[in-house]
Amino acid sequence: MKARITVITIGVDDLERALRFYRDGLGLKTEGIIGTEIEHGAVVFFDLQAGLKLAIWPRASISHDSGLPLGGSSATEFTLGHNLSSKEEVDGVMEQAKGAGAVIVKPAHETSWGGYAGYFQDPDGHLWEVLWNPQLLPQG
């Protein structure tokens, strides 16, 4: 398989609340909710970087579309990593997330692997790692 990840979709319980968190709180760019004319179609796409989007979609719609029953979720199933160019940027994003309503799970700190990182959870419990990894600095 040649990896061509273009959309990361996360399930949410309240689409409007999640939209406000990501758009208004974190400042991600979006056209807002689209697909409302289709049953189970309401979704929001955010532009991340060239060729990659974050989608938020109601968990019930994901269940309907996939045919899988709604089940329990765990914040430790996966993390979304946001790698930045400096420790100061990490601190700034952590504060921005907190101001937007995120729960700070672990404040940013020096790591055992030589970087700097912290964790927050969005209103639906998704776990974000905000980090500065000197071995994997972002381009541009």
Side-chain angles (χ1 to χ4, degrees):
M1 179 175 112
K2 187 170 186 172
R4 289 200 177 114
I5 306 292
T6 58
V7 178
I8 298 169
T9 303
I10 57 176
V12 300
D13 293 319
D14 183 327
L15 192 58
E16 291 281 347
R17 179 187 69 189
L19 170 62
R20 287 190 304 274
F21 177 79
Y22 285 103
R23 180 193 61 203
D24 304 337
L26 296 185
L28 298 183
K29 302 295 181 213
T30 181
E31 294 180 20
I33 298 173
I34 61 170
T36 56
E37 70 282 0
I38 304 167
E39 184 179 8
H40 301 288
V43 64
V44 178
F45 292 99
F46 299 94
D47 294 320
L48 297 180
Q49 60 204 43
L52 182 61
K53 292 187 180 294
L54 173 69
I56 55 174
W57 200 20
R59 285 185 170 107
S61 296
I62 294 172
S63 172
H64 174 80
D65 197 56
S66 68
L68 295 173
L70 275 174
S73 62
S74 168
T76 58
E77 291 173 353
F78 70 95
T79 66
L80 295 165
H82 184 47
N83 193 25
L84 297 162
S85 299
S86 70
K87 295 175 187 179
E88 294 77 22
E89 284 184 272
V90 170
D91 289 336
V93 169
M94 292 292 287
E95 281 302 313
Q96 183 179 12
K98 182 178 178 183
V103 173
I104 303 301
V105 174
K106 189 173 190 178
H109 62 283
E110 301 287 335
T111 66
S112 62
W113 43 266
Y116 186 75
Y119 286 93
F120 72 81
Q121 284 182 286
D122 74 7
D124 288 282
H126 299 292
L127 190 60
W128 284 77
E129 181 183 22
V130 181
L131 67 140
W132 167 73
N133 183 333
Q135 289 80 36
L136 298 173
L137 290 176
Q139 302 295 315

